[in-house]
Amino acid sequence: MDSSDADGVLAEQLLRVTRRLQRIQGRQLEPMGITPAQFRLLRTVAHYDGPPRMADLAQRLDVVPRAVTTLVDGLEATGRVRRAPDPDSRRVVRIEITEEGLATLRSLRDARRAAAEEILAPLTADQREVLGGLLSALVNGMPERRC
């Protein structure tokens, strides 16, 4: 097998593991009434030092502003975020995470950890350490994306 064939096999294996992780996580998110996209937005809001603007979220998530509006609508309807006026500009809306949102985020992080544990179960501690190093090399070699 030449290197391009081996790279193709590796790419397919990475995609299969990623899909499996997404399926497991999706099963865990569903009972909480939150979508993976809403989870991503909630996690992103929590990473800001203060309430971000909708435009900041759209840029950070690399989506159109209308997509952020739809996600915020869903999260606001369940009490996980709230819209707040910007103190410096009446035209700007900021998004604040609520206590319910923080509690949901903690539960979702636990769900993500459980999904990873399920996938990593066949590996020994040494294999997990090697995999962690390899994944770090891949992540650190990628262009910066903060989401």
Side-chain angles (χ1 to χ4, degrees), residues 23-137:
R23 276 193 310 272
I24 293 167
Q25 186 176 350
R27 284 194 312 261
Q28 293 168 334
L29 295 178
E30 190 175 357
M32 295 181 209
I34 191 165
T35 68
Q38 288 173 330
F39 172 41
R40 187 172 171 229
L41 182 113
L42 198 60
R43 192 177 67 226
T44 302
V45 171
H47 280 105
Y48 278 89
D49 290 333
R53 299 174 309 140
M54 301 270 274
D56 297 331
L57 292 170
Q59 183 178 11
R60 175 79 57 97
L61 296 170
D62 196 25
V63 299
V64 297
R66 177 70 190 125
V68 171
T69 300
T70 301
L71 293 172
V72 168
D73 288 346
L75 289 169
E76 189 174 40
T78 59
R80 292 177 172 124
V81 299
R82 69 178 150 259
R83 286 174 168 88
D86 185 293
D88 299 324
S89 174
R90 293 183 324 160
R91 294 183 300 175
V92 175
V93 174
R94 296 202 173 258
I95 305 304
E96 297 177 342
I97 192 165
T98 64
E99 286 302 317
E100 177 68 23
L102 290 171
T104 299
L105 200 53
R106 282 189 294 275
S107 294
L108 295 171
R109 286 182 179 144
D110 291 344
R112 176 176 265 185
R113 220 176 344 271
E117 286 173 12
E118 183 176 330
I119 286 176
L120 297 173
L123 301 180
T124 66
D126 288 342
Q127 289 171 322
R128 288 179 187 210
E129 188 173 331
V130 169
L131 178 60
L134 294 170
L135 291 173
S136 290

